[in-house]
Short mmCIF file of all heavy atoms in Angstrom, two decimals:
data_model
loop_
_atom_site.label_atom_id
_atom_site.label_comp_id
_atom_site.label_asym_id
_atom_site.label_seq_id
_atom_site.Cartn_x
_atom_site.Cartn_y
_atom_site.Cartn_z
N ASP A 418 -28.31 28.08 -22.91
CA ASP A 418 -28.29 28.05 -21.45
C ASP A 418 -27.23 29.04 -21.00
O ASP A 418 -26.09 28.99 -21.48
CB ASP A 418 -27.96 26.64 -20.96
CG ASP A 418 -28.20 26.47 -19.48
OD1 ASP A 418 -28.74 27.39 -18.84
OD2 ASP A 418 -27.84 25.39 -18.94
N ILE A 419 -27.56 29.95 -20.11
CA ILE A 419 -26.61 30.98 -19.66
C ILE A 419 -26.19 30.71 -18.23
O ILE A 419 -27.02 30.54 -17.34
CB ILE A 419 -27.23 32.39 -19.80
CG1 ILE A 419 -27.47 32.72 -21.27
CG2 ILE A 419 -26.31 33.43 -19.17
CD1 ILE A 419 -28.05 34.10 -21.51
N LEU A 420 -24.89 30.68 -18.03
CA LEU A 420 -24.31 30.55 -16.70
C LEU A 420 -23.59 31.86 -16.39
O LEU A 420 -22.51 32.12 -16.92
CB LEU A 420 -23.34 29.37 -16.65
CG LEU A 420 -22.50 29.23 -15.37
CD1 LEU A 420 -23.39 29.08 -14.14
CD2 LEU A 420 -21.55 28.04 -15.49
N ASP A 421 -24.19 32.68 -15.56
CA ASP A 421 -23.63 33.99 -15.21
C ASP A 421 -22.90 33.87 -13.87
O ASP A 421 -23.51 33.88 -12.81
CB ASP A 421 -24.75 35.02 -15.12
CG ASP A 421 -24.23 36.43 -14.91
OD1 ASP A 421 -23.01 36.59 -14.67
OD2 ASP A 421 -25.04 37.38 -14.97
N LEU A 422 -21.59 33.74 -13.94
CA LEU A 422 -20.80 33.52 -12.72
C LEU A 422 -20.75 34.73 -11.81
O LEU A 422 -20.33 34.63 -10.66
CB LEU A 422 -19.39 33.06 -13.10
CG LEU A 422 -19.32 31.69 -13.78
CD1 LEU A 422 -17.91 31.41 -14.26
CD2 LEU A 422 -19.79 30.58 -12.84
N SER A 423 -21.20 35.90 -12.30
CA SER A 423 -21.24 37.07 -11.43
C SER A 423 -22.26 36.91 -10.31
O SER A 423 -22.25 37.68 -9.34
CB SER A 423 -21.56 38.34 -12.24
OG SER A 423 -22.93 38.39 -12.60
N LEU A 424 -23.14 35.92 -10.40
CA LEU A 424 -24.08 35.67 -9.31
C LEU A 424 -23.36 35.31 -8.01
O LEU A 424 -23.92 35.47 -6.93
CB LEU A 424 -25.05 34.55 -9.70
CG LEU A 424 -26.04 34.87 -10.83
CD1 LEU A 424 -26.93 33.67 -11.10
CD2 LEU A 424 -26.87 36.09 -10.50
N LEU A 425 -22.12 34.85 -8.13
CA LEU A 425 -21.34 34.58 -6.91
C LEU A 425 -21.13 35.85 -6.09
O LEU A 425 -20.90 35.78 -4.88
CB LEU A 425 -19.99 33.97 -7.27
CG LEU A 425 -20.01 32.51 -7.73
CD1 LEU A 425 -18.62 32.10 -8.20
CD2 LEU A 425 -20.49 31.59 -6.63
N THR A 426 -21.18 37.00 -6.75
CA THR A 426 -20.95 38.26 -6.03
C THR A 426 -22.24 38.95 -5.62
O THR A 426 -22.20 39.94 -4.88
CB THR A 426 -20.14 39.25 -6.90
OG1 THR A 426 -20.95 39.73 -7.99
CG2 THR A 426 -18.88 38.60 -7.44
N SER A 427 -23.39 38.45 -6.09
CA SER A 427 -24.62 39.18 -5.81
C SER A 427 -25.77 38.31 -5.30
O SER A 427 -26.71 38.85 -4.72
CB SER A 427 -25.09 39.91 -7.08
OG SER A 427 -25.40 39.00 -8.11
N ALA A 428 -25.73 37.01 -5.51
CA ALA A 428 -26.83 36.15 -5.07
C ALA A 428 -26.62 35.73 -3.61
O ALA A 428 -25.48 35.55 -3.15
CB ALA A 428 -26.93 34.91 -5.96
N TYR A 429 -27.70 35.54 -2.90
CA TYR A 429 -27.62 35.22 -1.47
C TYR A 429 -27.05 33.81 -1.25
O TYR A 429 -27.57 32.82 -1.77
CB TYR A 429 -29.00 35.31 -0.83
CG TYR A 429 -28.99 34.99 0.66
CD1 TYR A 429 -28.53 35.94 1.58
CD2 TYR A 429 -29.41 33.76 1.12
CE1 TYR A 429 -28.50 35.65 2.93
CE2 TYR A 429 -29.38 33.47 2.48
CZ TYR A 429 -28.93 34.42 3.38
OH TYR A 429 -28.89 34.13 4.72
N ASP A 430 -25.98 33.72 -0.49
CA ASP A 430 -25.40 32.45 -0.04
C ASP A 430 -25.06 31.52 -1.22
O ASP A 430 -25.17 30.31 -1.11
CB ASP A 430 -26.35 31.75 0.92
CG ASP A 430 -25.60 30.91 1.96
OD1 ASP A 430 -24.39 31.10 2.13
OD2 ASP A 430 -26.25 30.05 2.60
N GLN A 431 -24.64 32.10 -2.33
CA GLN A 431 -24.25 31.33 -3.51
C GLN A 431 -22.74 31.10 -3.46
O GLN A 431 -21.97 32.05 -3.24
CB GLN A 431 -24.62 32.10 -4.77
CG GLN A 431 -24.41 31.32 -6.05
CD GLN A 431 -25.66 30.62 -6.51
OE1 GLN A 431 -26.31 29.95 -5.72
NE2 GLN A 431 -26.03 30.78 -7.74
N HIS A 432 -22.32 29.87 -3.69
CA HIS A 432 -20.89 29.55 -3.56
C HIS A 432 -20.43 28.59 -4.64
O HIS A 432 -21.18 27.73 -5.08
CB HIS A 432 -20.60 28.89 -2.20
CG HIS A 432 -21.07 29.66 -1.02
ND1 HIS A 432 -20.40 30.77 -0.54
CD2 HIS A 432 -22.15 29.51 -0.23
CE1 HIS A 432 -21.04 31.25 0.50
NE2 HIS A 432 -22.11 30.51 0.71
N ILE A 433 -19.18 28.77 -5.06
CA ILE A 433 -18.41 27.70 -5.67
C ILE A 433 -17.22 27.51 -4.72
O ILE A 433 -16.31 28.33 -4.68
CB ILE A 433 -17.92 28.04 -7.09
CG1 ILE A 433 -19.11 28.18 -8.05
CG2 ILE A 433 -16.98 26.94 -7.59
CD1 ILE A 433 -18.69 28.54 -9.46
N HIS A 434 -17.28 26.49 -3.93
CA HIS A 434 -16.20 26.25 -2.97
C HIS A 434 -14.94 25.83 -3.72
O HIS A 434 -15.01 25.22 -4.79
CB HIS A 434 -16.62 25.18 -1.97
CG HIS A 434 -17.75 25.58 -1.08
ND1 HIS A 434 -17.63 26.56 -0.13
CD2 HIS A 434 -19.04 25.15 -1.00
CE1 HIS A 434 -18.77 26.72 0.51
NE2 HIS A 434 -19.66 25.87 -0.01
N PRO A 435 -13.76 26.13 -3.17
CA PRO A 435 -12.51 25.84 -3.89
C PRO A 435 -12.22 24.35 -3.99
O PRO A 435 -12.61 23.55 -3.14
CB PRO A 435 -11.45 26.55 -3.05
CG PRO A 435 -12.05 26.65 -1.69
CD PRO A 435 -13.52 26.84 -1.90
N CYS A 436 -11.53 23.98 -5.07
CA CYS A 436 -11.07 22.61 -5.25
C CYS A 436 -10.09 22.26 -4.13
O CYS A 436 -9.22 23.06 -3.76
CB CYS A 436 -10.39 22.47 -6.60
SG CYS A 436 -9.67 20.85 -6.90
N LYS A 437 -10.21 21.07 -3.59
CA LYS A 437 -9.34 20.63 -2.49
C LYS A 437 -8.12 19.85 -2.97
O LYS A 437 -7.30 19.42 -2.17
CB LYS A 437 -10.15 19.78 -1.51
CG LYS A 437 -11.24 20.59 -0.80
CD LYS A 437 -12.01 19.74 0.21
CE LYS A 437 -13.05 20.59 0.93
NZ LYS A 437 -13.83 19.81 1.93
N GLY A 438 -8.00 19.66 -4.27
CA GLY A 438 -6.80 19.03 -4.81
C GLY A 438 -6.73 17.53 -4.61
O GLY A 438 -5.63 16.97 -4.57
N CYS A 439 -7.87 16.85 -4.53
CA CYS A 439 -7.87 15.39 -4.35
C CYS A 439 -7.08 14.68 -5.44
O CYS A 439 -6.40 13.68 -5.19
CB CYS A 439 -9.30 14.87 -4.33
SG CYS A 439 -10.31 15.47 -2.96
N VAL A 440 -7.16 15.22 -6.68
CA VAL A 440 -6.50 14.57 -7.81
C VAL A 440 -5.00 14.47 -7.60
O VAL A 440 -4.35 13.55 -8.10
CB VAL A 440 -6.83 15.32 -9.12
CG1 VAL A 440 -6.28 16.73 -9.09
CG2 VAL A 440 -6.30 14.58 -10.32
N SER A 441 -4.41 15.39 -6.84
CA SER A 441 -2.96 15.36 -6.62
C SER A 441 -2.54 14.27 -5.65
O SER A 441 -1.36 13.92 -5.58
CB SER A 441 -2.48 16.73 -6.11
OG SER A 441 -2.67 17.71 -7.10
N THR A 442 -3.50 13.74 -4.90
CA THR A 442 -3.22 12.56 -4.08
C THR A 442 -3.35 11.30 -4.92
O THR A 442 -2.48 10.43 -4.90
CB THR A 442 -4.20 12.50 -2.88
OG1 THR A 442 -3.88 13.58 -1.99
CG2 THR A 442 -4.09 11.19 -2.13
N ALA A 443 -4.42 11.21 -5.68
CA ALA A 443 -4.62 10.11 -6.63
C ALA A 443 -5.85 10.43 -7.45
O ALA A 443 -6.86 10.89 -6.90
CB ALA A 443 -4.80 8.77 -5.91
N MET A 444 -5.80 10.17 -8.75
CA MET A 444 -6.92 10.51 -9.62
C MET A 444 -8.24 9.88 -9.16
O MET A 444 -9.28 10.53 -9.18
CB MET A 444 -6.60 10.10 -11.06
CG MET A 444 -7.60 10.60 -12.09
SD MET A 444 -7.46 12.34 -12.50
CE MET A 444 -9.00 13.00 -11.89
N PRO A 445 -8.26 8.61 -8.74
CA PRO A 445 -9.54 8.02 -8.34
C PRO A 445 -10.14 8.64 -7.08
O PRO A 445 -11.32 8.37 -6.77
CB PRO A 445 -9.19 6.54 -8.09
CG PRO A 445 -7.96 6.30 -8.90
CD PRO A 445 -7.19 7.59 -8.82
N LEU A 446 -9.36 9.44 -6.36
CA LEU A 446 -9.90 10.12 -5.18
C LEU A 446 -10.73 11.33 -5.59
O LEU A 446 -11.50 11.86 -4.79
CB LEU A 446 -8.75 10.55 -4.26
CG LEU A 446 -9.11 10.91 -2.82
CD1 LEU A 446 -9.68 9.71 -2.08
CD2 LEU A 446 -7.90 11.46 -2.08
N CYS A 447 -10.59 11.77 -6.84
CA CYS A 447 -11.35 12.88 -7.39
C CYS A 447 -12.58 12.30 -8.06
O CYS A 447 -12.49 11.72 -9.14
CB CYS A 447 -10.47 13.65 -8.38
SG CYS A 447 -11.24 15.12 -9.08
N HIS A 448 -13.72 12.44 -7.42
CA HIS A 448 -14.93 11.78 -7.91
C HIS A 448 -15.68 12.65 -8.91
O HIS A 448 -15.65 13.88 -8.84
CB HIS A 448 -15.85 11.46 -6.72
CG HIS A 448 -15.23 10.56 -5.72
ND1 HIS A 448 -15.45 10.67 -4.36
CD2 HIS A 448 -14.36 9.53 -5.86
CE1 HIS A 448 -14.76 9.75 -3.71
NE2 HIS A 448 -14.09 9.04 -4.60
N TRP A 449 -16.36 11.98 -9.83
CA TRP A 449 -17.20 12.65 -10.83
C TRP A 449 -18.65 12.27 -10.59
O TRP A 449 -19.01 11.12 -10.72
CB TRP A 449 -16.78 12.26 -12.24
CG TRP A 449 -17.77 12.68 -13.30
CD1 TRP A 449 -18.62 11.88 -14.02
CD2 TRP A 449 -18.01 14.03 -13.78
NE1 TRP A 449 -19.36 12.62 -14.90
CE2 TRP A 449 -19.02 13.94 -14.77
CE3 TRP A 449 -17.48 15.28 -13.46
CZ2 TRP A 449 -19.50 15.05 -15.45
CZ3 TRP A 449 -17.96 16.39 -14.14
CH2 TRP A 449 -18.96 16.27 -15.12
N PRO A 450 -19.49 13.25 -10.19
CA PRO A 450 -19.17 14.65 -9.86
C PRO A 450 -18.45 14.76 -8.52
O PRO A 450 -18.38 13.79 -7.77
CB PRO A 450 -20.55 15.31 -9.80
CG PRO A 450 -21.46 14.20 -9.35
CD PRO A 450 -20.94 12.97 -10.03
N CYS A 451 -17.95 15.94 -8.22
CA CYS A 451 -17.16 16.17 -7.01
C CYS A 451 -17.96 15.79 -5.77
O CYS A 451 -19.12 16.16 -5.62
CB CYS A 451 -16.76 17.63 -6.93
SG CYS A 451 -15.86 18.08 -5.43
N SER A 452 -17.31 15.04 -4.88
CA SER A 452 -17.96 14.63 -3.62
C SER A 452 -17.40 15.35 -2.40
O SER A 452 -17.76 15.02 -1.27
CB SER A 452 -17.81 13.11 -3.43
OG SER A 452 -16.45 12.77 -3.23
#
Side-chain angles (χ1 to χ4, degrees):
D418 192 7
I419 294 181
L420 172 59
D421 186 352
L422 294 173
S423 75
L424 292 180
L425 286 174
T426 70
S427 63
Y429 180 77
D430 211 16
Q431 187 94 311
H432 305 283
I433 294 179
H434 295 292
C436 176
K437 295 182 178 180
C439 297
V440 63
S441 295
T442 291
M444 189 76 246
L446 197 63
C447 183
H448 300 144
W449 168 252
C451 176
S452 66

